[in-house]
Amino acid sequence: MNRLEKRLREKRAAGGKILLPFLTGGYPDMETFIGLLLELERVGADGVEVGLPFSDPAADGPVIQASSQVAIERGASLTSIFEAVATARSRGLTIPLLYMTYYNPVFHLGAEEFSKCAVKSGADGVLVVDLPPEEAAEFAPAAREAGLDTIFLVAPTTPEERMDKVTRESSGFLYCVSVTGVTGEKKPVVEMVGDLVKRIRPHTDLPVLIGFGVSTGEGAAELAKVSDGVIVGSALLSSLGDERGDEAVKRGGDFIAGIRKALD
Amino acid sequence: MTIRGETGRFGPFGGQYVAEVLMPVLSELEEAFAAVLEDEGFWDEYHRILREYVGRPNPLTFAANLTRMAGGCEIYLKREDLNHTGAHKINNTIGQVLLATRMGKKRVIAETGAGQHGVATATAAALFGCQCAVFMGEEDVRRQAPNVERMRLLGAEVVPVTSGSRTLKDAMNEAMRHWVSHVDNTFYVIGSAAGPHPYPVMVREFQRVIGDEIKAQSLERFGKLPDCVLACIGGGSNAIGAFASFLDDEVKLVAVEASGEGLETGRHAAAIAGGQVGVLHGQKSYLLQDCNGQVLEAHSISAGLDYPGVGPQIAELARTGRIEVLTATDEDALAGFHLLTRTEGIIPALESAHALARAVDVAKTLPKEAKLVVNLSGRGDKDLATVLAFEKKGGAA
């Protein structure tokens, strides 16, 4: 068990709720991104999900689309984000970190090479959003071999008979998609998410985190009641406004500190 | 789930590279499509509509003047341009919207580049009384104003897409996002023989009527199969439709990609000749991408070929050498456009003009008595403004 799953299980065992913020790698710029990583740890994030921006993010809503485009335009690439994360590690980032991306950049680099570079940068897990278990045969074993947890999604549309297929391939935690939609748009209905988590539990004892549409402290707290914690992405990126540098770091930190407070 | 033994994998290509939310939706679609494949009533209805409404079978026209000009073998034209709405796209939208109504979905969505697939979907939606929304890049909405008006007249909502490069690939991203958010009542009508399984199989089956007719018409007219069938490829729907019936026959199959301003300029839409294997829009296939695996914008004078990928079955047929893949530039396509217009009095779509440009060359390599069929996938009225603007500028589209 690597750092990601271990830390999340420890948090759950201690009765705490897990808070996993999402940042787009290289957004709003590389230096600010590094500052944000460190600030998120300081204000109590239990881990961080770093999006490796892709030109065609078909599962993402407008906020993550726009941040991905900006990051790419400002020169972010897998290599430069890996370097930035390594820099953050060297400056004292200790919380677990996973990469979220789409399959083409991974496939283009090669599953083994990608996994090796990700681990070397200091990552503990990876989630490829357009890679369901059925298509993961060439990637997931390589990622696990390199020491990465492989995170997969369960959605409200996932039927009972697919649950085992998804949970079997999963390590680290299970990413429970709260709505049938893209990131950051629809508001989840707590009762429905609760029912979904109940359907998931018999299939795995991994921590179950809720993502998509978690935007306020109040909403996060309600969703955390029916799960082990939450992932917050679009709302965090929105909170930065058009700021870069210290002001952006402060805004992001304040926003996540607010969610932390609501969860505790 | 398989469809008549097909898993949606074509060698190393195809697959279902989509977010978890869509996996059960694709399973439902596979099951529904597998069921109608065995349902004679469904196909009777489909073919009745193609006959009475679309105007099929359309003719196989001997292009006598073009043949003389080319100085090679006999060139015939499969007249998809004579279909209702002016292109082959309607074959597929009739099939998919009919399937949508069988599945109880009252709402259909589509992506469109030039607007032909959007118009064909809006037309089928009007016929079957479905709601329809068409996603179209903001850039294309501007370039293809007449088709936007057509879709609106037909009752469709045209949704301008402002993300990414604001063209076809972004329209497809947005259609997929919308689909994910409305899976319970919405059917996504994909126009290319591309996307996640079962779309490449389904689109091929709804387009194979083109090749089935070419085969029947050739047997009746020549007493044998044609020697060569040639078609343009963007995503590949008209090509796979024309080729599907001939895959096991001794018939030369030639596909023509759009090489835009030239392969060496990087401004082209030739995914096979100028791309690498990658994953986009739910499938693995050849893809135009940069050294970081970011998808590149395609370029072609013809909006219908302006797509950075290609359907997975076409990719596999190219990889294994079953089809020959040629390219034609914007300039070549314009030459083909004028050539057919002047010699035969038929204004071809700029997409089909790519095929015509190479057909003349291929004809020269075949014996005089050989029969070459070019799939004339659409008519060119929609392209007049593009052609005039291009020529006024004296080059670059």
Side-chain angles (χ1 to χ4, degrees):
Chain A
M1 194 183 300
N2 78 22
R3 172 166 49 184
L4 176 64
E5 188 171 326
K6 187 161 169 288
R7 291 277 187 91
L8 301 190
R9 283 184 182 275
E10 283 168 5
K11 180 87 178 188
R12 179 172 66 176
K17 291 297 178 185
I18 297 160
L19 172 55
L20 201 67
F22 169 96
L23 292 173
T24 297
Y27 180 82
D29 56 55
M30 208 51 86
E31 204 47 43
T32 309
F33 164 65
I34 295 171
L36 278 164
L37 286 173
L38 294 164
E39 180 69 1
L40 293 178
E41 171 157 353
R42 197 184 67 79
V43 301
D46 298 297
V48 60
E49 184 182 354
V50 172
L52 301 172
F54 179 48
S55 53
D56 295 78
D60 282 300
V63 174
I64 294 178
Q65 283 173 46
S67 67
S68 301
Q69 202 172 343
V70 167
I72 292 169
E73 281 164 11
R74 292 180 183 160
S77 64
L78 294 196
T79 315
S80 67
I81 295 169
F82 288 161
E83 279 170 15
V85 167
T87 302
R89 285 285 186 224
S90 73
R91 291 186 196 166
L93 184 76
T94 66
I95 52 174
L97 182 146
L98 70 131
Y99 289 123
M100 191 289 286
T101 190
Y102 289 78
Y103 193 44
N104 197 56
V106 176
F107 177 77
H108 191 79
L109 191 58
E112 278 180 34
E113 183 66 14
F114 174 89
S115 304
K116 217 164 61 192
C117 294
V119 168
K120 199 170 150 223
S121 74
D124 308 286
V126 60
L127 161 57
V128 183
V129 69
D130 57 352
L131 200 67
E134 285 84 344
E135 301 293 352
E138 62 185 358
F139 175 66
R144 283 193 289 262
E145 179 69 19
L148 293 170
D149 276 333
T150 50
I151 292 92
F152 287 87
L153 305 158
V154 168
T157 50
T158 305
E160 201 55 34
E161 61 270 21
R162 279 184 64 77
M163 287 284 184
D164 274 333
K165 201 179 269 181
V166 176
T167 53
R168 222 178 13 242
E169 292 289 330
S170 301
S171 57
F173 66 91
L174 204 72
Y175 194 126
C176 174
V177 178
S178 67
V179 294
T180 50
V182 293
T183 53
E185 287 218 290
K186 286 185 185 172
K187 272 240 168 312
V189 179
V190 178
E191 294 73 37
M192 285 170 64
V193 176
D195 289 345
L196 178 55
V197 176
K198 274 186 207 148
R199 285 208 290 128
I200 295 170
R201 294 287 193 202
H203 299 271
T204 180
D205 72 337
L206 285 173
V208 177
L209 304 188
I210 312 295
F212 287 41
V214 185
S215 58
T216 63
E218 199 184 4
E222 283 194 27
L223 290 165
K225 267 184 214 154
V226 299
S227 65
D228 299 316
V230 294
I231 300 160
V232 187
S234 298
L236 167 57
L237 294 172
S238 296
S239 78
L240 308 182
D242 294 326
E243 300 296 339
R244 295 164 75 165
D246 291 348
E247 178 59 23
V249 171
K250 184 182 175 306
R251 287 194 184 191
D254 288 351
F255 180 79
I256 290 302
I259 306 265
R260 178 79 269 170
K261 199 163 164 235
L263 287 179
D264 292 342
Chain B
M1 183 77 207
T2 60
I3 293 173
R4 285 188 178 161
E6 287 192 78
T7 59
R9 287 182 198 282
F10 303 93
F13 305 120
Q16 291 183 315
Y17 296 87
V18 297
E20 175 62 25
V21 179
L22 287 180
M23 290 300 286
V25 182
L26 291 174
S27 295
E28 183 196 0
L29 182 59
E30 275 180 88
E31 275 173 40
F33 181 64
V36 298
L37 261 184
E38 311 304 330
D39 177 351
E40 272 184 41
F42 179 89
W43 293 98
D44 286 349
E45 174 76 352
Y46 169 75
H47 285 292
R48 183 189 65 75
I49 298 168
L50 290 190
R51 201 169 54 242
E52 294 180 3
Y53 183 77
V54 174
R56 303 201 75 99
N58 56 46
L60 191 62
T61 303
F62 178 47
N65 299 330
L66 183 65
T67 295
R68 217 169 11 252
M69 268 261 355
C73 72
E74 293 179 10
I75 302 174
Y76 293 80
L77 306 172
K78 181 57 179 164
R79 301 295 303 279
E80 295 299 308
D81 63 314
L82 294 179
N83 292 343
H84 178 45
T85 70
H88 72 290
K89 291 290 185 188
I90 190 90
N91 304 327
N92 171 51
T93 61
I94 293 290
Q96 286 197 43
V97 180
L98 188 58
L99 175 60
T101 59
R102 289 284 179 104
M103 292 173 73
K105 311 259 181 187
K106 292 303 241 176
R107 191 161 174 278
V108 297
I109 58 169
E111 83 293 338
T112 198
Q116 293 305 104
H117 173 59
V119 168
T121 305
T123 300
L127 179 66
F128 292 105
C130 296
Q131 276 188 327
C132 178
V134 179
F135 293 83
M136 191 170 185
E138 198 179 46
E139 189 58 27
D140 291 330
V141 169
R142 193 181 55 75
R143 289 193 292 196
Q144 309 288 336
N147 271 344
V148 172
E149 285 316 312
R150 260 176 221 128
M151 288 184 269
R152 288 185 175 142
L153 279 172
L154 289 159
E157 178 195 358
V158 178
V159 185
V161 174
T162 56
S163 56
S165 57
R166 304 171 186 211
T167 58
L168 177 58
K169 84 177 170 72
D170 308 283
M172 196 151 173
N173 289 334
E174 205 55 38
M176 291 188 91
R177 290 182 189 115
H178 182 91
W179 192 32
V180 164
S181 307
H182 301 82
V183 285
D184 45 340
N185 68 346
T186 300
F187 186 105
Y188 181 17
V189 181
I190 294 183
S192 266
H197 179 65
Y199 281 99
V201 173
M202 190 161 71
V203 174
R204 181 196 67 214
E205 291 306 306
F206 288 136
Q207 289 292 4
R208 74 177 304 136
V209 62
I210 303 171
D212 288 348
E213 285 182 12
I214 294 174
K215 193 172 227 179
Q217 288 165 326
S218 297
L219 287 172
E220 190 188 323
R221 190 147 170 188
F222 319 136
K224 65 176 190 99
L225 297 179
D227 298 279
C228 178
V229 178
L230 189 149
C232 63
I233 44 172
S237 69
N238 92 81
I240 199 68
F243 297 164
S245 305
F246 298 106
L247 294 179
D248 298 326
D249 298 324
E250 278 190 32
V251 174
K252 181 181 168 77
L253 303 174
V254 182
V256 182
E257 290 192 294
S259 52
E261 293 174 15
L263 281 180
E264 68 289 351
T265 66
R267 286 178 55 74
H268 60 81
I272 298 173
Q276 295 159 278
V277 179
V279 174
L280 181 71
H281 296 148
Q283 64 169 24
K284 189 184 281 180
S285 186
Y286 295 108
L287 180 64
L288 301 181
Q289 53 187 312
D290 70 11
C291 60
N292 290 310
Q294 306 292 0
V295 180
L296 292 172
E297 229 175 292
H299 168 83
S300 168
I301 188 173
S302 130
L305 302 183
D306 211 344
Y307 181 69
V310 62
Q313 188 169 13
I314 290 284
E316 177 63 357
L317 293 170
R319 188 185 72 89
T320 56
R322 176 62 189 94
I323 64 173
E324 185 182 344
V325 180
L326 305 175
T327 60
T329 63
D330 291 347
E331 299 275 0
D332 295 337
L334 275 174
F337 177 89
H338 287 298
L339 181 63
L340 191 73
T341 306
R342 288 295 183 86
T343 56
E344 299 292 340
I346 298 170
I347 302 177
L350 278 174
E351 290 79 8
S352 322
H354 287 74
L356 290 161
R358 287 290 85 88
V360 171
D361 306 334
V362 172
K364 290 187 178 126
T365 68
L366 297 172
K368 286 265 180 211
E369 65 284 3
K371 323 287 184 196
L372 164 63
V373 177
V374 181
N375 193 24
L376 191 62
S377 56
R379 67 174 182 228
D381 311 51
K382 68 181 176 64
D383 294 318
L384 296 185
T386 306
V387 170
L388 293 177
F390 188 95
E391 290 175 348
K392 210 164 150 190
K393 266 199 291 185

